Coordinates of all heavy atoms in Angstrom, one line a residue:
P209 N 3.9 29.9 -13.0 CA 4.0 30.1 -11.6 C 3.6 28.9 -10.8 O 2.8 28.1 -11.3 CB 3.0 31.2 -11.4 CG 2.1 31.2 -12.5 CD 2.8 30.6 -13.7
H216 N -4.6 31.9 -0.4 CA -5.0 33.1 0.2 C -4.4 33.1 1.6 O -4.2 32.0 2.2 CB -6.5 33.2 0.3 CG -7.2 33.2 -1.0 ND1 -7.2 34.2 -1.8 CD2 -8.0 32.3 -1.6 CE1 -7.9 34.0 -2.9 NE2 -8.4 32.8 -2.8
V221 N -10.0 40.3 11.7 CA -10.3 41.7 12.0 C -11.6 41.8 12.7 O -12.6 41.3 12.2 CB -10.3 42.5 10.7 CG1 -10.7 43.9 10.9 CG2 -9.0 42.4 9.9
A235 N 1.1 39.0 -8.3 CA 2.0 39.1 -9.4 C 1.7 38.0 -10.5 O 1.7 38.3 -11.7 CB 3.4 38.9 -8.9
R237 N -1.2 36.6 -11.0 CA -2.5 36.9 -11.7 C -2.3 38.1 -12.7 O -2.8 38.0 -13.8 CB -3.5 37.4 -10.6 CG -4.9 37.6 -11.2 CD -5.9 37.9 -10.1 NE -6.3 36.6 -9.5 CZ -6.2 36.3 -8.2 NH1 -5.8 37.2 -7.4 NH2 -6.6 35.2 -7.8
V257 N -17.4 25.0 -23.8 CA -16.0 25.2 -24.2 C -15.2 24.1 -23.8 O -15.3 23.5 -22.7 CB -15.5 26.5 -23.6 CG1 -14.0 26.7 -24.0 CG2 -16.3 27.7 -24.1
D262 N -1.3 22.6 -21.6 CA 0.0 21.8 -21.4 C 1.0 22.8 -20.7 O 1.5 23.7 -21.3 CB 0.5 21.4 -22.7 CG 1.4 20.2 -22.6 OD1 1.7 19.7 -21.4 OD2 2.0 19.7 -23.6
H270 N 15.5 17.0 -15.0 CA 14.6 16.0 -15.5 C 14.7 15.9 -17.0 O 15.1 16.9 -17.7 CB 13.1 16.4 -15.1 CG 12.9 16.4 -13.7 ND1 13.1 17.5 -12.9 CD2 12.4 15.4 -12.9 CE1 12.8 17.2 -11.6 NE2 12.4 15.9 -11.6
L288 N -6.5 29.1 -11.2 CA -5.9 30.5 -11.4 C -6.0 30.9 -12.9 O -6.4 32.0 -13.2 CB -4.5 30.6 -10.9 CG -3.8 31.9 -11.0 CD1 -4.6 33.0 -10.4 CD2 -2.4 31.8 -10.5
F298 N -12.4 35.7 -22.1 CA -12.4 34.5 -23.1 C -13.9 34.0 -23.1 O -14.3 33.4 -24.1 CB -11.5 33.4 -22.6 CG -10.1 33.6 -23.1 CD1 -9.2 34.5 -22.5 CD2 -9.6 33.0 -24.2 CE1 -7.9 34.7 -22.9 CE2 -8.3 33.2 -24.7 CZ -7.5 34.1 -24.0

Side-chain angles (χ1 to χ4, degrees):
H216 298 291
V221 177
R237 185 173 283 125
V257 174
D262 202 0
H270 295 87
L288 178 58
F298 276 81

